Amino acid sequence: MIHFENVSKTFSEKSGNTHAVRGATLEIKKDTIHGIIGHSGAGKSTLIRLINQLEQHDEGLISVFDYADIRKLNKESMRMLRQNIGMIFQHFNLLESKTVLENVLFPISAFQKVSKTTREKALKLIEDVGLKDSEHTYPAKLSGGMKQRVGIARALINDPEILICDEPTSALDVDTTSNILSLIKKIKEQRDLTVVLVTHDMHVIKAVCDDVTVMDQGYIVEHGTLDDILFSAKHPIAKSLTASIGFNIDDIAKDYGHLPNLTLLRFKGSVTSEEILSRIIKQTGAAINILFANITPSKEGLMLVSIDFDDIDVIKQALEAKGVEIINDRF
Amino acid sequence: MIGFDSYLQAFNETLYMTLMSTAFVGIIGLGLGVMLFSSAQEGLKPNKTLYSALSIITSVGRSIPFLILIVLLIPVTRIIVGSILGPSAAIPALVVGGVPFYARLVELALFEKGHDLKETGRAFGLSDIKIITKILIPESLPALIRGLTVTAIALAGYTAIAGAIGAGGLGNLAYLYGYSRNRPMVTWISTMLIVGLILTIQLIGDLLVKKLSKT
């Protein structure tokens, strides 16, 4: 759906050049919610702005839909590309001089007369995002969460295949954030929609994303499914991000480094609901000390244990026989 | 004797100069202001050379004292208007004096929300022209009107200077009939009339801004 091949973007400024994106290679799959996370200045906002060419890359190739190289598009094709990509913003960017309905219709009314069907579609969208009866209100009268709902409805008016979300919840409180994220998730499930979401908050990633890209200083430092990142992130930034949502395995491993045979276990699918460990303990008489355990949004289990037993390989074989993956290269 | 008719005529001349020059300044200043905003570094089509050139022109334009500007423009006025006396003859100088002033106010007004609005428009596939006409100007309208009000008031003040050197109007009345012939009453009445005009402009501007602001 979206493919980056060795893409770089540099901003020249008086104070020197800023390498916002450096040699990014990335695949964003159709019908997924793809999160891009990193600290401020990591280049994540620039990276997503390349998708609809709000910024132009200096090097590399970006293909979106059937366009093999979006840098080479003429004006008309660029307009079509952009109309097929909806976008919502951190500060909502609503037009203050227009009502909710006029805002939602704007991506169409800027080009042509609005038909009755389009108007009805807009009203339906406004209802879908939970703003029924607010269609004639001006944005200044709306709360932050409501403004973002208008932003979402407006981004969807052209039935885009891609929705770009630039820090969509960073200006919102915790409860509103979770409501907006649920809305994005619901909308994604109702339509053929690929969502690319930029955030600095790992909770947002955990709440909605299927795939995750971690960026630092313009580089893509980790890339994979959410579970991959939670289980096997190696880059310090990625590790500190996973730690921020309670997956602070490395800190715990460091604190309990004196314990024997620290082992990280990954329980996939149905194995999370079986009593695997207690059976092994009963059978072998091994002492297994659980230091950390958590379950990811996709129901995979992660456990950090210390195994006190003479023949460690017996335990490992027993675990592997049950489909538990042993990750030992992390520490 | 200065009768009611004389005051009315002078008032009408001042009103005519103010409105005509404000209209021209509004249109040309808006155009120049949009060009300034667009060619600036954060604008729609950054162009350092164009921006510097426009910037120098507006800065120089604003720094020439109005009285000197009228004198400097005499040849131009003669070609455009055909005379250097009367209210119409004041218009070219008023426009040249007012345009750089308003252009800067326009640039400021657009700059306020410019970056976000530019990006929003681009994301919807709008061309630069459409971003200006469909987003930037409508969204900045209250600020643009506020700027135009300030400009119109400055222009009303300028008409008094122009009036004193032959353009007619209340300035002419106050100076030539009031001050020069030592009739302070005429000066006072003229002053009150021009103050009334300026207050009215401010009132209309405020009402318009209030009507246009959706906050």
Side-chain angles (χ1 to χ4, degrees), chain A residues 14-249:
Chain A
K14 272 184 196 145
S15 51
N17 290 344
T18 311
H19 301 280
V21 177
R22 308 197 233 203
T25 297
L26 176 67
E27 174 77 39
I28 294 172
K29 292 194 220 83
K30 198 171 157 37
D31 294 334
T32 57
I33 301 187
H34 191 111
I36 297 169
I37 188 164
H39 297 308
S40 45
K44 50 196 194 305
S45 280
T46 307
L47 188 83
I48 54 158
R49 278 171 172 67
L50 294 171
I51 298 172
N52 58 357
Q53 292 284 287
L54 293 182
E55 301 288 354
Q56 276 89 39
H57 47 299
D58 319 305
E59 279 169 52
L61 204 64
I62 301 175
S63 54
V64 181
F65 308 125
D66 297 330
Y67 303 111
D69 180 0
I70 56 167
R71 198 166 44 175
K72 292 215 180 80
L73 294 182
N74 61 26
K75 270 192 179 158
E76 186 56 21
S77 308
M78 182 61 76
R79 187 176 64 79
M80 284 165 67
L81 172 83
R82 285 173 172 171
Q83 287 181 336
N84 207 354
I85 300 177
M87 185 165 184
I88 60 172
F89 305 86
Q90 178 175 2
H91 298 295
F92 326 119
N93 294 14
L94 299 182
L95 304 177
E96 301 279 333
S97 64
K98 293 183 163 53
T99 63
V100 167
L101 178 62
E102 287 164 346
N103 264 285
V104 173
L105 283 170
F106 186 74
I108 290 171
S109 67
F111 295 95
Q112 64 200 58
K113 223 176 153 287
V114 173
S115 67
K116 216 180 148 211
T117 351
T118 313
R119 208 183 125 88
E120 273 157 20
K121 181 179 165 190
L123 288 169
K124 175 79 175 44
L125 267 171
I126 292 169
E127 198 182 325
D128 287 349
V129 298
L131 289 177
K132 197 176 183 325
D133 300 328
S134 296
E135 59 263 26
H136 298 304
T137 312
Y138 285 95
K141 297 266 188 299
L142 302 176
S143 68
M146 290 163 96
K147 283 184 189 173
Q148 195 58 291
R149 285 167 191 272
V150 180
I152 291 170
R154 182 176 67 175
L156 295 173
I157 190 74
N158 275 321
D159 292 315
E161 289 177 66
I162 296 174
L163 177 65
I164 295 180
C165 310
D166 181 25
E167 299 267 12
T169 58
S170 299
L172 304 174
D173 63 56
V174 179
D175 287 342
T176 315
T177 292
S178 94
N179 291 337
I180 292 292
L181 291 175
S182 316
L183 177 64
I184 291 175
K185 203 165 182 174
K186 187 185 98 186
I187 282 163
K188 185 247 154 191
E189 271 150 24
Q190 286 168 350
R191 334 172 137 235
D192 287 331
L193 193 65
T194 306
V195 179
V196 189
L197 184 151
V198 157
T199 181
H200 60 268
D201 184 356
M202 197 63 192
H203 292 96
V204 172
I205 298 276
K206 191 187 169 197
V208 291
C209 292
D210 305 302
D211 291 335
V212 189
T213 297
V214 183
M215 288 190 76
D216 182 40
Q217 294 176 27
Y219 295 105
I220 291 178
V221 293
E222 296 271 358
H223 177 56
T225 64
L226 175 59
D227 286 347
D228 288 341
I229 302 293
L230 291 177
F231 288 116
S232 42
K234 291 191 185 61
H235 192 274
I237 297 283
K239 282 184 175 179
S240 80
L241 286 169
T242 55
S244 72
I245 53 164
F247 285 79
N248 52 340
I249 315 154

Side-chain angles (χ1 to χ4, degrees), chain B residues 31-100:
Chain B
L32 186 59
V34 166
M35 279 166 76
L36 272 166
F37 169 80
S38 305
S39 61
Q41 204 183 350
E42 284 281 294
L44 290 159
K45 275 215 162 36
N47 183 331
K48 235 176 184 170
T49 327
L50 180 63
Y51 184 77
S52 308
L54 293 176
S55 192
I56 290 168
I57 292 170
T58 50
S59 299
V60 170
R62 276 188 310 164
S63 46
I64 302 174
F66 187 65
L67 193 60
I68 298 173
L69 191 66
I70 300 176
V71 178
L72 279 174
L73 284 176
I74 285 177
V76 183
T77 306
R78 199 169 264 139
I79 296 168
I80 300 176
V81 187
S83 157
I84 57 159
L85 289 175
S88 290
I91 306 286
L94 287 168
V95 172
V96 172
V99 161

Side-chain angles (χ1 to χ4, degrees), chain B residues 17-188:
Chain B
M17 285 188 279
T18 309
L19 292 184
M20 282 296 273
S21 58
T22 303
F24 281 113
V25 167
I27 296 164
I28 304 170
L30 182 66
L32 186 59
V34 166
M35 279 166 76
L36 272 166
F37 169 80
S38 305
S39 61
Q41 204 183 350
E42 284 281 294
L44 290 159
K45 275 215 162 36
N47 183 331
K48 235 176 184 170
T49 327
L50 180 63
Y51 184 77
S52 308
L54 293 176
S55 192
I56 290 168
I57 292 170
T58 50
S59 299
V60 170
R62 276 188 310 164
S63 46
I64 302 174
F66 187 65
L67 193 60
I68 298 173
L69 191 66
I70 300 176
V71 178
L72 279 174
L73 284 176
I74 285 177
V76 183
T77 306
R78 199 169 264 139
I79 296 168
I80 300 176
V81 187
S83 157
I84 57 159
L85 289 175
S88 290
I91 306 286
L94 287 168
V95 172
V96 172
V99 161
F101 183 72
Y102 186 52
R104 282 294 185 188
L105 294 179
V106 170
E107 187 194 5
L108 260 172
L110 298 181
F111 186 78
E112 227 174 284
K113 291 183 275 177
H115 181 75
D116 283 350
L117 292 176
K118 174 184 89 174
E119 197 162 59
T120 312
R122 291 242 165 104
F124 298 150
L126 270 70
S127 62
D128 288 350
I129 301 283
K130 278 209 157 94
I131 290 176
I132 292 168
T133 56
K134 303 258 176 187
I135 300 185
L136 282 170
I137 292 180
E139 283 294 294
S140 314
L141 211 51
L144 293 175
I145 299 286
R146 226 175 276 134
L148 196 61
T149 309
V150 174
T151 309
I153 289 170
L155 287 170
Y158 285 167
T159 63
I161 303 175
I165 61 162
L170 292 164
N172 181 45
L173 205 61
Y175 180 73
L176 220 60
Y177 294 86
Y179 175 74
S180 303
R181 300 183 191 176
N182 199 19
R183 289 153 83 171
M185 201 57 189
V186 177
T187 311
W188 275 110

